[in-house]
Amino acid sequence: MTGKLLAFHYDMKRAMWSAQFMDRYAATLAEWGYNAILYEVEDKLRFSHHPAVAHADALSAEETRARMDALRRRGFQAIPLVQTLGHAEYVLTKPGYERFRESPAHTSQYDPLSGEARALICELIDETIAAVRPETYFHLGGDETRDLGQSEACKPVVAEIGKGGL
């Protein structure tokens, strides 16, 4: 893509948009000069390695690909967004995924010291990339991590190098 990138955020956290609605909305966005869609997947993709993460209305990889192809036909670049530290409720509140939390009380944040949590995040990213097939960009979400450093394992790391270092 050449020139200025103007992206609109399709946030799938709250609702599952129909293909028809997404297409009509994209037509309007194109008229307004947008040329990219930041597609925040959340639990709206049926992850083959982690099917328990998927919402009941989640799309298959093939359905996601078809929607991204429809956006491309309208001139949009598809930029997937996967949350990689915070905003992880869509995973960490699911049965069996509690062990990836930094602390039992915080359901929105992965444990940054856990190799197992990092492996999970990488699997979700890999499947998202395969479904969305980004041309150039991929957004690694990492904001709203104000609860970092709460666990006994993380506290000494934060004391030594700070939350940003953690």
Side-chain angles (χ1 to χ4, degrees), residues 22-66:
M22 285 177 72
D23 190 57
R24 282 195 315 270
Y25 207 78
T28 300
L29 292 171
E31 289 175 13
W32 292 345
Y34 286 89
N35 57 11
I37 297 295
L38 181 64
Y39 186 72
E40 186 166 357
V41 175
E42 293 280 335
D43 58 354
K44 299 309 188 300
L45 176 62
R46 276 189 253 133
F47 296 100
S48 62
H49 289 98
H50 298 281
V53 169
H55 184 276
D57 295 330
L59 302 174
S60 68
E62 295 77 22
E63 291 168 317
T64 300
R65 253 182 242 112

Side-chain angles (χ1 to χ4, degrees), residues 10 32 136 155:
Y10 275 14
W32 292 345
T136 307
K155 283 179 185 176

Side-chain angles (χ1 to χ4, degrees), residues 106-157:
H106 297 99
T107 61
S108 66
Q109 201 162 275
Y110 289 106
D111 180 352
L113 299 179
S114 168
E116 191 179 20
R118 282 191 301 276
L120 166 66
I121 294 165
C122 287
E123 288 174 346
L124 298 177
I125 288 170
D126 287 346
E127 289 198 45
T128 300
I129 287 172
V132 175
R133 296 175 296 150
E135 296 87 0
T136 307
Y137 299 105
F138 186 91
H139 188 297
L140 297 173
D143 66 331
E144 296 191 26
T145 56
R146 61 187 144 270
D147 294 323
L148 274 175
Q150 300 297 314
S151 72
E152 292 308 311
C154 289
K155 283 179 185 176
V157 176

Side-chain angles (χ1 to χ4, degrees), residues 9-17 40-44 55 83 86-90 108 144:
H9 184 194
Y10 275 14
D11 187 349
M12 306 309 282
K13 179 182 291 227
R14 305 272 183 254
M16 189 67 224
W17 298 0
E40 186 166 357
V41 175
E42 293 280 335
D43 58 354
K44 299 309 188 300
H55 184 276
Q83 298 297 344
H87 290 296
E89 303 87 353
Y90 74 99
S108 66
E144 296 191 26

